[in-house]
Every structure is written in C-alpha cells, then in structure tokens.
Amino acid sequence: MDSIFERWCECRRGARALCWGMVCLVVTALAWATVLKPLNRQLAERQGQLRQALRGNAALWPTALRVAQGTAPEARVAQPFSPLAFQGNGTTLVRWKPLPAGGELTLDADWPRIPDIFDRLAQQSAGVSAFVIAPHAGRLRIAIQLELYHGT
C-alpha cells in the first residue's frame, strides 16, 4: 500500500492531474449512468403524458362550450326580505331588530329546519355575517346577524 502512495507522490504533477481528471470523469459517467439517465427518462415520459393530457383537455373544450351555451342555468329570482316569512313550518319568529345594513333575526326552530332557514335567507338576498345556535325551552334559538343586499 505504501508503494502505491509513494509512486503517486513521485509522479509528475501533469500525470497526477491527468489521472485525477480521468478518475473524476469515470465517477461522473457512472453517476450519470446509474442515477441521472433513469431520472431523465422518467422526466421525458412525464412530459409526454402532460402533453397528451393537455391535447385531450384542449379537445374537450369545444364540446364543453357547446353544452354550456346550449343550456342556460336556472335564474333564481330574489324574493324581497321579510322576517315574517320565517314564521311557521317549524320556526317561530322571536325578534327582528333592523339595522342600517341588515339586522338581527332571532328565531326558535327545530333542528331539521335550520338548513331551510339559511336556504330561505339566500333566496331573499340576505347574507349571514354571524349566527349563534343555543338550546332554549326544548327547541333551538338561533340569532342571525344579516347583511341585506338590494335594500329593504
């Protein structure tokens, strides 16, 4: 082992640089062949799949546009807001406190009617900024902070 090291040190500087360069070249070639070449192949495959998916997506757009233009979505007609509309069908109006930009609506309701309240508010162009649901006298009391759109 000492003889190899001694020979290395006794060699001329140019020979050592040439040997060191060859070793670096071989190590780099092995690293490229074992690691980078398969990764480049996978990258090329993924890019081909991406191009194919983009072509398929582009081919579907004309059909989607024809379908979208042929069928118009149902236009919902906004009903004017009235707190009295929440009286009945499992809900009881407790209090309506109007404010300049909306108001506070307090209702007593059964649990299955809670989603219907929010649906009815959406139909009446009323946005909910906050709400609280708490039990009260065997039912639920819901206090809703409303933002009314299109004025009332």
Side-chain angles (χ1 to χ4, degrees), residues 20-144:
W20 187 249
M22 294 295 282
V23 167
C24 287
L25 184 65
V26 168
V27 168
T28 304
L30 286 173
W32 180 79
T34 58
V35 177
L36 297 177
K37 190 174 180 181
L39 288 177
N40 282 337
R41 190 177 313 128
Q42 281 183 342
L43 178 63
E45 289 174 7
R46 297 290 189 265
Q47 287 175 340
Q49 290 173 354
L50 176 64
R51 275 191 237 96
Q52 185 178 2
L54 289 174
R55 280 193 301 268
N57 187 6
L60 293 175
W61 271 107
T63 306
L65 289 174
R66 278 194 305 260
V67 169
Q69 291 171 353
T71 60
E74 292 181 17
R76 288 179 111 175
V77 177
Q79 304 166 354
F81 177 78
S82 171
L84 295 176
F86 295 92
Q87 184 71 29
N89 290 337
T91 60
T92 306
L93 177 64
V94 176
R95 181 178 62 232
W96 165 244
K97 181 180 174 185
L99 298 172
E104 182 178 324
L105 180 66
T106 305
L107 303 167
D108 283 340
D110 298 324
W111 181 252
R113 297 295 171 206
I114 300 285
D116 296 336
I117 294 170
F118 289 100
D119 187 44
R120 193 173 307 144
L121 286 169
Q123 290 173 359
Q124 295 180 359
S125 297
V128 176
S129 59
F131 67 93
V132 176
I133 300 175
H136 178 74
R139 296 180 80 191
L140 295 174
R141 179 157 287 179
I142 180 167
I144 306 170

Side-chain angles (χ1 to χ4, degrees), residues 1-8:
M1 187 73 154
D2 290 333
S3 63
I4 295 174
F5 182 69
E6 287 173 5
R7 275 195 246 162
W8 176 257

